[in-house]
Coordinates of all heavy atoms in Angstrom, one line a residue:
M1 N 66.0 58.2 14.9 CA 65.0 57.5 14.0 C 65.7 57.0 12.8 O 66.5 57.7 12.2 CB 63.9 58.5 13.7 CG 62.8 58.0 12.8 SD 61.8 56.8 13.8 CE 60.7 56.2 12.5
D2 N 65.4 55.8 12.4 CA 66.0 55.2 11.2 C 64.9 55.0 10.2 O 64.2 54.0 10.3 CB 66.7 53.9 11.6 CG 67.3 53.2 10.4 OD1 67.4 53.8 9.3 OD2 67.8 52.1 10.6
P3 N 64.8 55.9 9.2 CA 63.7 55.7 8.2 C 63.8 54.5 7.4 O 62.8 54.0 6.8 CB 63.8 57.0 7.4 CG 65.2 57.5 7.6 CD 65.6 57.1 8.9
T4 N 65.0 53.9 7.3 CA 65.2 52.7 6.4 C 64.7 51.5 7.2 O 64.5 50.4 6.6 CB 66.6 52.6 6.0 OG1 67.4 52.3 7.2 CG2 67.1 53.8 5.3
G5 N 64.6 51.5 8.5 CA 64.3 50.3 9.3 C 65.5 49.4 9.4 O 65.3 48.3 10.0
A6 N 66.6 49.8 9.0 CA 67.8 48.9 9.0 C 68.2 48.6 10.5 O 68.5 47.4 10.8 CB 69.0 49.5 8.3
T7 N 68.1 49.6 11.4 CA 68.4 49.4 12.8 C 67.5 48.4 13.4 O 67.9 47.5 14.1 CB 68.4 50.7 13.5 OG1 69.3 51.6 12.9 CG2 68.9 50.5 14.9
A8 N 66.2 48.5 13.2 CA 65.2 47.6 13.8 C 65.4 46.2 13.2 O 65.4 45.2 14.0 CB 63.8 48.1 13.5
G9 N 65.7 46.1 12.0 CA 66.0 44.8 11.4 C 67.2 44.1 12.0 O 67.2 42.9 12.3
K10 N 68.2 44.9 12.3 CA 69.4 44.3 12.9 C 69.1 43.8 14.3 O 69.6 42.8 14.7 CB 70.5 45.4 12.9 CG 71.8 45.0 13.6 CD 72.8 44.6 12.6 CE 74.2 44.4 13.2 NZ 74.4 43.2 14.0
A11 N 68.3 44.6 15.0 CA 67.9 44.2 16.4 C 67.2 42.9 16.4 O 67.4 42.0 17.2 CB 67.1 45.3 17.1
V12 N 66.3 42.7 15.4 CA 65.5 41.4 15.3 C 66.5 40.3 14.9 O 66.4 39.2 15.5 CB 64.4 41.6 14.2 CG1 63.8 40.2 13.9 CG2 63.3 42.5 14.7
Q13 N 67.4 40.6 14.0 CA 68.4 39.6 13.6 C 69.3 39.1 14.8 O 69.7 38.0 14.8 CB 69.2 40.2 12.5 CG 70.1 39.1 11.8 CD 70.9 39.8 10.6 OE1 71.1 41.0 10.6 NE2 71.3 38.9 9.7
D14 N 69.6 40.1 15.7 CA 70.5 39.8 16.8 C 69.8 39.1 18.0 O 70.4 38.6 18.9 CB 71.2 41.0 17.3 CG 72.2 41.5 16.3 OD1 72.6 40.7 15.4 OD2 72.7 42.7 16.4
A15 N 68.4 39.1 18.0 CA 67.7 38.5 19.1 C 67.8 37.0 19.0 O 67.7 36.4 18.0 CB 66.2 38.9 19.0
Y16 N 68.0 36.4 20.2 CA 68.1 35.0 20.3 C 67.6 34.5 21.7 O 67.5 35.3 22.6 CB 69.5 34.5 20.0 CG 70.5 34.9 21.1 CD1 70.7 34.1 22.2 CD2 71.2 36.0 21.0 CE1 71.6 34.5 23.2 CE2 72.1 36.4 22.0 CZ 72.3 35.6 23.1 OH 73.2 36.0 24.1
Q17 N 67.3 33.2 21.8 CA 66.9 32.6 23.0 C 68.0 31.6 23.3 O 68.8 31.2 22.5 CB 65.6 31.9 22.9 CG 64.4 32.9 22.5 CD 63.2 32.1 22.3 OE1 63.0 31.6 21.2 NE2 62.3 32.0 23.3
D18 N 68.1 31.1 24.6 CA 69.1 30.1 24.9 C 68.6 28.7 24.4 O 67.4 28.6 24.0 CB 69.5 30.1 26.4 CG 68.4 29.6 27.3 OD1 67.6 28.7 26.9 OD2 68.3 30.1 28.4
G19 N 69.5 27.8 24.5 CA 69.2 26.4 23.9 C 68.1 25.7 24.6 O 67.6 24.7 24.1
N20 N 67.6 26.2 25.7 CA 66.4 25.5 26.4 C 65.2 25.5 25.4 O 64.3 24.6 25.6 CB 66.1 26.1 27.7 CG 67.1 25.8 28.8 OD1 67.3 24.6 29.0 ND2 67.7 26.8 29.3
V21 N 65.1 26.4 24.5 CA 64.0 26.5 23.6 C 64.0 25.3 22.6 O 63.0 25.0 22.0 CB 64.0 27.8 22.8 CG1 65.1 27.8 21.7 CG2 62.7 28.1 22.2
L22 N 65.1 24.6 22.6 CA 65.2 23.4 21.7 C 64.6 22.1 22.4 O 64.4 21.1 21.7 CB 66.7 23.1 21.4 CG 67.5 24.1 20.7 CD1 68.9 23.8 20.6 CD2 66.9 24.3 19.3
A23 N 64.3 22.2 23.7 CA 63.8 21.0 24.4 C 62.6 20.4 23.8 O 62.5 19.2 23.6 CB 63.5 21.4 25.9
G24 N 61.6 21.3 23.4 CA 60.4 20.7 22.8 C 60.6 20.0 21.5 O 60.3 18.9 21.3
P25 N 61.2 20.8 20.5 CA 61.5 20.1 19.2 C 62.3 18.9 19.3 O 62.1 17.9 18.6 CB 62.2 21.2 18.4 CG 61.7 22.5 19.0 CD 61.5 22.2 20.4
L26 N 63.4 18.9 20.2 CA 64.2 17.7 20.3 C 63.5 16.6 21.0 O 63.8 15.4 20.7 CB 65.5 18.1 21.0 CG 66.5 19.0 20.3 CD1 67.7 19.4 21.2 CD2 67.1 18.2 19.0
S27 N 62.6 16.9 21.8 CA 61.9 15.8 22.5 C 61.0 15.0 21.6 O 60.6 13.9 21.9 CB 61.0 16.3 23.7 OG 59.9 17.0 23.2
E28 N 60.7 15.6 20.4 CA 59.9 14.8 19.4 C 60.8 13.7 18.8 O 60.3 12.8 18.2 CB 59.4 15.8 18.3 CG 58.2 16.6 18.7 CD 57.6 17.2 17.4 OE1 58.2 18.1 16.9 OE2 56.5 16.8 17.0
I29 N 62.1 14.0 18.8 CA 63.0 13.1 18.1 C 63.8 12.1 19.0 O 63.9 10.9 18.7 CB 64.1 13.9 17.3 CG1 63.4 15.0 16.4 CG2 65.0 13.0 16.5 CD1 64.4 16.0 15.9
F30 N 64.2 12.6 20.2 CA 65.0 11.8 21.1 C 64.3 11.5 22.4 O 63.5 12.4 22.9 CB 66.3 12.5 21.4 CG 67.2 12.8 20.2 CD1 67.2 14.0 19.6 CD2 68.0 11.7 19.7 CE1 68.0 14.2 18.4 CE2 68.7 11.9 18.5 CZ 68.7 13.2 17.9
A31 N 64.5 10.4 23.0 CA 63.9 10.0 24.2 C 64.5 10.6 25.5 O 63.9 10.6 26.5 CB 63.9 8.5 24.4
V32 N 65.7 11.2 25.3 CA 66.3 11.9 26.4 C 66.3 13.4 26.2 O 66.2 13.9 25.1 CB 67.8 11.4 26.6 CG1 67.8 9.9 27.0 CG2 68.6 11.7 25.4
D33 N 66.5 14.1 27.3 CA 66.6 15.6 27.2 C 68.0 16.0 26.7 O 68.9 16.0 27.4 CB 66.3 16.2 28.5 CG 66.4 17.8 28.5 OD1 66.5 18.3 27.4 OD2 66.3 18.3 29.6
L34 N 68.0 16.4 25.4 CA 69.3 16.8 24.8 C 69.8 18.2 25.2 O 70.9 18.5 24.9 CB 69.2 16.7 23.3 CG 69.3 15.3 22.7 CD1 69.5 15.3 21.2 CD2 70.5 14.5 23.3
T35 N 69.0 19.0 25.8 CA 69.4 20.3 26.2 C 70.5 20.1 27.3 O 71.3 21.0 27.6 CB 68.3 21.2 26.7 OG1 67.6 20.6 27.8 CG2 67.3 21.5 25.6
A36 N 70.5 19.0 28.0 CA 71.5 18.7 29.1 C 72.8 18.1 28.5 O 73.8 18.0 29.2 CB 70.9 17.8 30.2
A37 N 72.7 17.7 27.2 CA 73.9 17.1 26.6 C 75.0 18.2 26.4 O 74.6 19.4 26.3 CB 73.5 16.5 25.3
V38 N 76.2 17.7 26.3 CA 77.3 18.7 26.0 C 77.8 18.5 24.6 O 78.1 17.4 24.2 CB 78.5 18.4 27.0 CG1 79.7 19.2 26.6 CG2 78.1 18.7 28.4
S39 N 77.8 19.6 23.9 CA 78.2 19.5 22.5 C 79.6 20.2 22.3 O 80.0 21.1 23.0 CB 77.2 20.2 21.6 OG 77.1 21.6 21.8
R40 N 80.3 19.7 21.3 CA 81.6 20.3 20.9 C 81.4 21.0 19.5 O 81.0 20.3 18.6 CB 82.7 19.3 20.8 CG 84.0 19.9 20.4 CD 85.1 18.8 20.3 NE 85.4 18.2 21.6 CZ 86.3 18.7 22.5 NH1 86.9 19.8 22.3 NH2 86.4 18.0 23.6
C41 N 81.7 22.2 19.5 CA 81.5 23.0 18.3 C 82.6 22.6 17.2 O 83.8 22.5 17.5 CB 81.7 24.5 18.6 SG 81.7 25.6 17.1
A42 N 82.1 22.3 16.0 CA 83.0 21.9 14.9 C 83.9 23.0 14.4 O 84.9 22.8 13.8 CB 82.2 21.3 13.8
H43 N 83.6 24.2 14.7 CA 84.3 25.4 14.2 C 85.4 25.8 15.1 O 86.5 26.0 14.7 CB 83.3 26.5 13.9 CG 82.2 26.1 13.0 ND1 82.3 26.0 11.7 CD2 80.9 25.8 13.3 CE1 81.1 25.6 11.2 NE2 80.3 25.4 12.2
C44 N 85.1 26.0 16.4 CA 86.1 26.5 17.4 C 86.5 25.5 18.4 O 87.5 25.7 19.2 CB 85.6 27.8 18.1 SG 84.3 27.5 19.3
G45 N 85.8 24.3 18.5 CA 86.2 23.3 19.4 C 85.7 23.5 20.9 O 86.0 22.6 21.7
S46 N 85.0 24.6 21.2 CA 84.6 24.7 22.5 C 83.4 23.8 22.8 O 82.7 23.4 22.0 CB 84.2 26.2 22.8 OG 83.6 26.8 21.8
T47 N 83.3 23.4 24.1 CA 82.3 22.5 24.5 C 81.4 23.3 25.5 O 81.8 24.2 26.2 CB 82.9 21.3 25.2 OG1 83.6 21.7 26.4 CG2 83.7 20.5 24.3
G48 N 80.1 22.8 25.6 CA 79.2 23.4 26.5 C 77.8 22.7 26.3 O 77.6 22.0 25.4
P49 N 76.9 22.9 27.3 CA 75.6 22.3 27.2 C 74.8 22.9 26.0 O 74.9 24.1 25.7 CB 74.9 22.7 28.5 CG 75.7 23.8 29.1 CD 77.1 23.8 28.5
V50 N 74.0 22.0 25.4 CA 73.1 22.5 24.3 C 72.2 23.6 24.8 O 71.9 24.5 24.0 CB 72.3 21.3 23.8 CG1 71.2 21.7 22.9 CG2 73.2 20.2 23.2
A51 N 71.9 23.6 26.1 CA 71.0 24.7 26.6 C 71.7 26.1 26.6 O 71.0 27.1 26.6 CB 70.6 24.4 28.1
A52 N 73.0 26.1 26.4 CA 73.8 27.4 26.4 C 73.9 27.9 25.0 O 74.4 29.0 24.8 CB 75.1 27.2 27.0
L53 N 73.5 27.1 23.9 CA 73.6 27.6 22.6 C 72.6 28.8 22.4 O 71.7 29.0 23.1 CB 73.2 26.5 21.6 CG 74.1 25.3 21.6 CD1 73.5 24.2 20.7 CD2 75.5 25.6 21.2
R54 N 72.9 29.6 21.4 CA 72.1 30.8 21.1 C 71.2 30.4 19.9 O 71.7 30.1 18.8 CB 72.9 32.0 20.7 CG 73.7 32.5 21.9 CD 74.6 33.7 21.6 NE 75.3 34.1 22.8 CZ 76.1 35.1 22.8 NH1 76.4 35.8 21.6 NH2 76.7 35.5 23.9
V55 N 69.9 30.4 20.2 CA 68.9 29.9 19.2 C 68.2 31.0 18.6 O 67.6 31.9 19.2 CB 67.9 28.9 19.9 CG1 67.0 28.4 18.8 CG2 68.7 27.7 20.6
Y56 N 68.3 31.1 17.2 CA 67.6 32.1 16.4 C 66.4 31.5 15.7 O 66.5 30.4 15.3 CB 68.6 32.7 15.5 CG 69.8 33.4 16.2 CD1 70.9 32.7 16.6 CD2 69.7 34.8 16.4 CE1 71.9 33.3 17.3 CE2 70.8 35.4 17.0 CZ 71.9 34.7 17.5 OH 72.9 35.3 18.1
G57 N 65.4 32.3 15.5 CA 64.3 31.9 14.8 C 63.2 31.3 15.7 O 63.4 31.2 16.9
H58 N 62.1 30.9 15.1 CA 61.0 30.3 15.9 C 60.7 29.0 15.2 O 60.7 28.9 14.0 CB 59.8 31.3 15.9 CG 60.1 32.6 16.5 ND1 60.2 32.8 17.8 CD2 60.4 33.8 15.9 CE1 60.5 34.1 18.1 NE2 60.7 34.7 16.9
A59 N 60.3 28.0 16.1 CA 59.9 26.7 15.5 C 58.9 27.0 14.4 O 58.0 27.9 14.6 CB 59.3 25.9 16.6
P60 N 58.9 26.3 13.3 CA 59.5 25.0 13.1 C 60.9 25.1 12.6 O 61.6 24.1 12.4 CB 58.6 24.4 12.1 CG 58.1 25.5 11.2 CD 58.0 26.6 12.2
S61 N 61.5 26.3 12.4 CA 62.9 26.4 11.9 C 63.7 27.1 12.9 O 63.6 28.3 13.2 CB 62.9 27.1 10.6 OG 64.2 27.3 10.1
L62 N 64.7 26.3 13.6 CA 65.5 26.9 14.6 C 67.0 26.7 14.2 O 67.4 25.7 13.7 CB 65.2 26.2 15.9 CG 63.8 26.3 16.5 CD1 63.6 25.3 17.7 CD2 63.5 27.7 16.9
V63 N 67.8 27.8 14.4 CA 69.2 27.7 14.2 C 69.9 28.0 15.5 O 69.7 29.0 16.1 CB 69.6 28.8 13.1 CG1 71.1 28.8 12.9 CG2 68.9 28.5 11.8
A64 N 70.7 27.0 16.0 CA 71.4 27.1 17.2 C 72.9 27.5 16.9 O 73.6 26.7 16.2 CB 71.3 25.9 18.0
R65 N 73.4 28.6 17.5 CA 74.8 29.0 17.2 C 75.6 28.9 18.5 O 75.1 29.0 19.6 CB 74.8 30.5 16.7 CG 74.1 30.6 15.3 CD 74.2 32.1 14.8 NE 73.7 32.2 13.5 CZ 74.5 32.0 12.4 NH1 75.7 31.7 12.5 NH2 73.9 32.1 11.2
C66 N 76.9 28.7 18.2 CA 77.9 28.6 19.3 C 78.0 29.9 20.0 O 78.1 31.0 19.4 CB 79.2 28.2 18.7 SG 80.6 28.2 19.9
P67 N 77.9 30.0 21.4 CA 78.0 31.2 22.1 C 79.4 31.8 22.1 O 79.7 32.9 22.4 CB 77.6 30.9 23.5 CG 77.9 29.4 23.6 CD 77.7 28.8 22.3
H68 N 80.4 31.0 21.6 CA 81.8 31.4 21.6 C 82.2 32.0 20.2 O 82.8 33.1 20.2 CB 82.7 30.3 22.0 CG 82.5 29.7 23.3 ND1 82.9 30.3 24.5 CD2 81.7 28.6 23.7 CE1 82.4 29.6 25.5 NE2 81.7 28.6 25.1
C69 N 81.9 31.3 19.1 CA 82.4 31.8 17.8 C 81.2 32.2 16.9 O 81.4 32.8 15.9 CB 83.2 30.7 17.1 SG 82.2 29.3 16.5
G70 N 80.0 31.9 17.3 CA 78.8 32.4 16.5 C 78.5 31.5 15.3 O 77.5 31.8 14.6
E71 N 79.2 30.4 15.1 CA 78.9 29.6 13.9 C 77.7 28.7 14.3 O 77.4 28.4 15.4 CB 80.1 28.7 13.6 CG 81.3 29.5 13.0 CD 81.0 30.1 11.6 OE1 80.2 29.5 10.9 OE2 81.6 31.1 11.3
V72 N 77.1 28.1 13.2 CA 75.9 27.3 13.4 C 76.4 25.9 14.0 O 77.3 25.2 13.4 CB 75.2 27.1 12.1 CG1 74.0 26.1 12.2 CG2 74.7 28.4 11.6
V73 N 75.8 25.5 15.1 CA 76.1 24.2 15.7 C 75.0 23.2 15.2 O 75.4 22.0 14.9 CB 76.2 24.3 17.2 CG1 76.3 22.9 17.8 CG2 77.3 25.2 17.6
L74 N 73.8 23.5 15.3 CA 72.7 22.6 14.8 C 71.5 23.4 14.3 O 71.3 24.6 14.7 CB 72.4 21.6 15.8 CG 71.7 22.0 17.1 CD1 70.2 22.0 17.0 CD2 72.0 20.9 18.2
R75 N 70.8 22.8 13.4 CA 69.6 23.3 12.9 C 68.5 22.3 13.0 O 68.7 21.1 12.8 CB 69.7 23.7 11.4 CG 70.6 24.7 11.0 CD 70.5 25.0 9.5 NE 71.4 26.1 9.1 CZ 72.6 25.9 8.5 NH1 73.1 24.7 8.4 NH2 73.4 26.9 8.2
I76 N 67.3 22.8 13.3 CA 66.1 21.9 13.3 C 65.0 22.5 12.4 O 64.7 23.7 12.6 CB 65.5 21.7 14.7 CG1 66.6 21.1 15.7 CG2 64.3 20.9 14.7 CD1 66.1 21.1 17.1
V77 N 64.5 21.7 11.5 CA 63.4 22.2 10.7 C 62.3 21.1 10.9 O 62.5 19.9 10.6 CB 63.7 22.3 9.2 CG1 62.5 22.7 8.4 CG2 64.8 23.4 9.1
R78 N 61.1 21.5 11.4 CA 60.0 20.6 11.5 C 59.1 20.8 10.3 O 58.5 21.9 10.2 CB 59.3 20.9 12.9 CG 58.2 20.0 13.2 CD 58.7 18.6 13.5 NE 57.7 17.8 14.2 CZ 56.8 17.1 13.5 NH1 56.8 17.1 12.2 NH2 55.9 16.4 14.1
A79 N 59.0 19.8 9.5 CA 58.1 19.8 8.4 C 57.0 18.8 8.6 O 57.1 18.0 9.5 CB 58.9 19.4 7.1
P80 N 55.9 18.9 7.8 CA 54.8 17.9 8.0 C 55.4 16.5 7.8 O 55.9 16.2 6.7 CB 53.9 18.3 6.9 CG 54.1 19.7 6.6 CD 55.6 19.9 6.8
G81 N 55.3 15.7 8.8 CA 55.7 14.3 8.7 C 57.2 14.0 8.9 O 57.6 12.9 9.0
N82 N 58.0 15.1 9.0 CA 59.5 14.9 9.2 C 60.0 16.0 10.1 O 59.5 17.1 10.1 CB 60.2 15.0 7.8 CG 60.0 13.9 7.0 OD1 60.2 12.7 7.4 ND2 59.7 14.1 5.7
A83 N 61.1 15.6 10.8 CA 62.0 16.6 11.4 C 63.4 16.5 10.8 O 63.9 15.4 10.8 CB 62.0 16.4 12.9
W84 N 63.9 17.6 10.3 CA 65.2 17.6 9.7 C 66.2 18.2 10.8 O 66.0 19.3 11.3 CB 65.2 18.5 8.5 CG 64.4 17.9 7.4 CD1 63.1 18.1 7.2 CD2 64.9 17.1 6.3 NE1 62.7 17.4 6.1 CE2 63.7 16.8 5.5 CE3 66.1 16.6 5.9 CZ2 63.8 16.0 4.4 CZ3 66.2 15.8 4.8 CH2 65.1 15.5 4.0
L85 N 67.2 17.4 11.1 CA 68.2 17.8 12.1 C 69.5 17.9 11.4 O 70.1 16.8 10.9 CB 68.2 16.7 13.2 CG 69.0 17.0 14.4 CD1 68.6 18.3 15.1 CD2 68.9 15.9 15.4
D86 N 70.1 19.1 11.3 CA 71.4 19.3 10.6 C 72.4 19.5 11.8 O 72.3 20.5 12.5 CB 71.3 20.5 9.7 CG 72.6 20.9 9.1 OD1 73.7 20.3 9.5 OD2 72.6 21.7 8.2
M87 N 73.3 18.6 12.0 CA 74.3 18.7 13.0 C 75.7 18.7 12.5 O 76.6 18.4 13.2 CB 74.1 17.5 14.0 CG 72.7 17.5 14.7 SD 72.6 16.2 15.9 CE 73.7 16.9 17.2
R88 N 75.9 19.3 11.3 CA 77.3 19.3 10.8 C 78.2 20.2 11.6 O 79.4 20.1 11.4 CB 77.2 19.7 9.3 CG 77.0 21.1 9.0 CD 76.9 21.4 7.5 NE 75.5 21.2 7.1 CZ 75.0 21.5 5.9 NH1 75.9 21.9 5.0 NH2 73.8 21.3 5.6
G89 N 77.6 21.1 12.4 CA 78.4 22.0 13.2 C 78.8 21.4 14.5 O 79.4 22.1 15.4
T90 N 78.4 20.2 14.8 CA 78.7 19.5 16.0 C 79.7 18.4 15.8 O 79.4 17.5 15.0 CB 77.4 18.9 16.6 OG1 76.5 20.0 16.7 CG2 77.7 18.4 18.0
V91 N 80.8 18.4 16.5 CA 81.8 17.3 16.4 C 81.3 16.1 17.2 O 81.4 15.0 16.7 CB 83.2 17.7 16.9 CG1 84.1 16.6 17.0 CG2 83.8 18.8 16.0
A92 N 80.9 16.3 18.4 CA 80.4 15.3 19.3 C 79.4 15.8 20.2 O 79.3 17.0 20.5 CB 81.6 14.7 20.1
L93 N 78.6 14.9 20.7 CA 77.5 15.2 21.6 C 77.6 14.2 22.8 O 77.4 13.0 22.5 CB 76.2 15.1 20.9 CG 74.9 15.7 21.5 CD1 75.1 17.2 21.7 CD2 73.7 15.5 20.6
A94 N 77.8 14.6 24.0 CA 77.9 13.7 25.2 C 76.5 13.8 25.8 O 76.1 14.8 26.3 CB 79.0 14.2 26.1
V95 N 75.8 12.7 25.8 CA 74.4 12.7 26.3 C 74.4 12.0 27.6 O 74.8 10.8 27.8 CB 73.5 11.9 25.3 CG1 72.1 11.9 25.8 CG2 73.6 12.5 23.9
P96 N 74.0 12.7 28.7 CA 73.9 12.1 30.0 C 72.8 11.0 30.1 O 71.7 11.3 29.6 CB 73.6 13.3 30.9 CG 73.0 14.3 30.1 CD 73.5 14.1 28.7
L97 N 73.1 9.9 30.6 CA 72.1 8.8 30.8 C 72.1 8.3 32.2 O 73.1 8.4 32.9 CB 72.5 7.6 29.9 CG 72.6 7.9 28.4 CD1 73.1 6.7 27.6 CD2 71.2 8.3 27.8
D98 N 70.9 7.9 32.6 CA 70.8 7.3 34.0 C 71.7 6.0 34.0 O 71.8 5.3 33.1 CB 69.4 6.9 34.3 CG 68.5 8.2 34.5 OD1 69.1 9.2 34.8 OD2 67.3 8.1 34.3
T99 N 72.3 5.8 35.2 CA 73.2 4.6 35.3 C 72.6 3.5 36.1 O 73.3 2.6 36.5 CB 74.6 5.1 35.9 OG1 74.3 5.7 37.1 CG2 75.3 6.0 34.9
D100 N 71.3 3.6 36.5 CA 70.7 2.6 37.3 C 70.2 1.4 36.5 O 70.5 1.1 35.4 CB 69.6 3.1 38.1 CG 68.6 4.0 37.3 OD1 69.0 5.0 36.9 OD2 67.4 3.6 37.2
Ligands
ZN1 ZN1 82.3 27.6 18.2

């Protein structure tokens, strides 16, 4: 038992969902499904699908972290009338498109 609640707080802080949870908020901004896009982390250089990012928080404020180094890759904040997308942790995003 932890009377300070510090252990429970740490468990909540460590809880995350995979990047598929970004599909809804990103679909408001982009016409394509960005969870299938491949991002390159600005901090460690690793690449992987947006769906593999570790997403903390609950909409309207989501923080997606690199599964390799833990740094922030992108943030989404949904405010009334605006969606704020902070992608400073992403060097590049390869977005798959239909070729027909
Ligand atoms: Zn990284």
Side-chain angles (χ1 to χ4, degrees):
M1 183 72 185
D2 177 10
T4 66
T7 304
K10 177 97 169 80
V12 169
Q13 188 177 23
D14 288 346
Y16 66 88
Q17 298 174 276
D18 71 34
N20 286 302
V21 74
L22 299 173
L26 287 173
S27 73
E28 282 194 291
I29 306 168
F30 298 100
V32 296
D33 178 10
L34 281 191
T35 60
V38 173
S39 65
R40 178 181 298 274
C41 176
H43 306 281
C44 72
S46 34
T47 60
V50 170
L53 297 175
R54 294 180 177 178
V55 181
Y56 296 83
H58 301 282
S61 178
L62 299 170
V63 176
R65 293 183 175 271
C66 175
H68 301 282
C69 72
E71 292 292 334
V72 176
V73 175
L74 66 88
R75 294 185 178 97
I76 299 173
V77 177
R78 184 68 166 87
N82 287 310
W84 294 85
L85 187 57
D86 176 349
M87 297 189 67
R88 77 183 89 174
T90 306
V91 172
L93 198 59
V95 181
L97 299 174
D98 290 336
T99 55
D100 46 296

